[in-house]
Structures are given as structure tokens and as C-alpha cells.
């Protein structure tokens, strides 16, 4: 059970974690960690981090039921053919987990991770999401 219907009396996950500013700074801190990781940094060589960050903000906003719609490419298209393996994905998600744990309540951390986990199969091209 990962789907919780949004009820009018309950703030969205996006609102609970602090809205636009919180998501923006979360993405910034997260990407600083990813780029500081020697095993992940090479994947981002030559990629415009400004546009990646703004795309990621949009993505997280949409994934957390915030107001913005994601306007980027499908994740499978953006990641296909880059040689991203499960071990890279795991490190990436570990950085995300560390970033979230520093900032959010435990329940919110778990919910964000479970949302993001839905997209895992599109990143490595596998259909399972076991990481
Ligand atoms: C669940 C995990 C992930 C999510 C939700 C995610 C999300 C995204 C999003 C939204 C974009 C922007 C797509 C666009 O420009 O239209 C992107 C681009 C990118 N991602 Fe990921 N990503 C994930 C994992 C990874 C991992 C593990 C790596 C590498 C180790 C990676 C490397 C990249 C690169 C290099 C780009 C830039 C593509 C380009 O601009 O040409 N991503 N990702």
C-alpha cells in the first residue's frame, strides 16, 4: 500500500515538507552530494546542472503532489544508454535518503522514498524496483 488518496483536510506531501522553498533547497543539497560522489560525478560531466536542477525541482514537485507539472523528458528516455547500473542507482538513492533524513520527519522520509521508488525501473531499464 503506497497510495494514500489525497483528502481535502490533509496537506499534500509537498506542503507538509515545506513547499517550494523546501523542495528547492532539498534538490540543491542532494545534487551537491551526488556531484561530490566520485562514482556518480562522471555521469554528469557536460550536463547543465542548472537545467538539471530545475527539472529535478519540477519532478519532485509533481511526484509529491505539488502544484507544478513535470515538463521534462520521460525518465526512461533521459537515462537510457548512460550505463547506469543498480549500484549507481543505490548510491544515488542513499544520498537522497541522507538528505531527507537530515530535514524531514521519519514518516515523510519514507513516503518520499516510496514515491521516488516507483520510477526506479525507468532509470536502469529494469522492470523491477528492488534496487
Ligand atoms: C529514481 C532516481 C532518479 C530520478 C527520479 C531522476 C530524475 C531525473 C530527471 C527528472 C531528469 C531530467 C530529465 C530531463 O532533462 O528531461 C534527470 C536527468 C539526468 N539524470 Fe536522473 N534521475 C534518477 C537517477 C539517476 C541516476 C542514478 C543517475 C546517474 C548515476 C542519473 C543521471 C542523470 C543524468 C546524467 C541526467 C541528465 C540527462 C541530460 O540532460 O541529458 N539519474 N534525472
Amino acid at each position: 500500500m503506497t497510495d494514500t488518496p489525497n483528502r481535502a483536510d490533509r496537506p499534500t506531501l509537498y506542503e507538509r515538507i515545506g513547499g517550494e522553498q523546501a523542495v528547492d533547497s532539498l534538490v540543491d543539497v542532494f545534487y551537491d552530494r551526488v556531484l561530490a560522489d566520485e562514482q556518480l560525478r562522471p555521469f554528469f560531466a557536460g550536463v547543465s546542472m542548472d537545467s538539471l536542477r530545475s527539472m529535478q525541482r519540477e519532478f519532485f514537485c509533481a511526484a509529491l503532489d505539488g502544484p507544478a507539472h513535470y515538463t521534462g523528458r520521460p525518465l526512461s528516455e533521459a537515462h537510457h544508454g548512460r550505463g547506469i547500473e543498480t549500484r549507481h542507482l543505490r548510491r544515488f538513492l542513499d544520498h537522497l535518503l541522507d538528505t531527507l533524513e537530515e530535514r524531514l520527519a521519519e514518516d515523510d522520509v519514507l513516503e518520499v522514498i516510496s514515491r521516488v521508488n516507483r520510477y526506479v525501473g525507468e532509470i536502469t531499464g529494469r522492470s523491477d524496483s528492488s534496487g
Side-chain angles (χ1 to χ4, degrees):
M1 271 291 286
T2 51
D3 265 329
T4 316
N6 266 322
R7 280 170 281 139
D9 59 349
R10 191 166 182 263
T12 61
L13 184 56
Y14 180 81
E15 288 162 349
R16 280 214 308 285
I17 71 175
E20 186 180 347
Q21 276 192 341
V23 171
D24 282 3
S25 81
L26 197 145
V27 169
D28 286 347
V29 170
F30 170 51
Y31 267 94
D32 287 346
R33 283 178 189 250
V34 168
L35 293 180
D37 185 322
E38 286 173 10
Q39 294 189 38
L40 299 180
R41 195 186 315 139
F43 287 96
F44 297 89
V47 171
S48 153
M49 285 315 288
D50 282 350
S51 64
L52 186 60
R53 274 179 214 259
S54 62
M55 214 38 90
Q56 281 278 352
R57 287 192 190 109
E58 253 187 33
F59 174 81
F60 273 96
C61 179
L64 305 179
D65 301 327
H69 293 286
Y70 176 59
T71 59
R73 286 167 290 166
L75 293 184
S76 55
E77 202 179 292
H79 297 87
H80 181 81
R82 292 180 182 274
I84 301 170
E85 293 172 15
T86 302
R87 64 198 166 96
H88 303 120
L89 183 67
R90 185 175 296 136
R91 291 182 80 89
F92 186 92
L93 293 175
D94 275 349
H95 292 304
L96 179 62
L97 188 61
D98 288 346
T99 310
L100 296 171
E101 276 178 340
E102 279 172 12
R103 294 158 166 256
L104 306 186
E106 198 181 342
D107 283 358
D108 291 339
V109 172
L110 294 178
E111 199 172 335
V112 175
I113 290 287
S114 100
R115 299 275 183 112
V116 170
N117 201 39
R118 292 177 195 166
Y119 302 96
V120 155
E122 296 185 52
I123 307 296
T124 59
R126 289 166 185 235
S127 54
D128 67 283
S129 60
S130 57

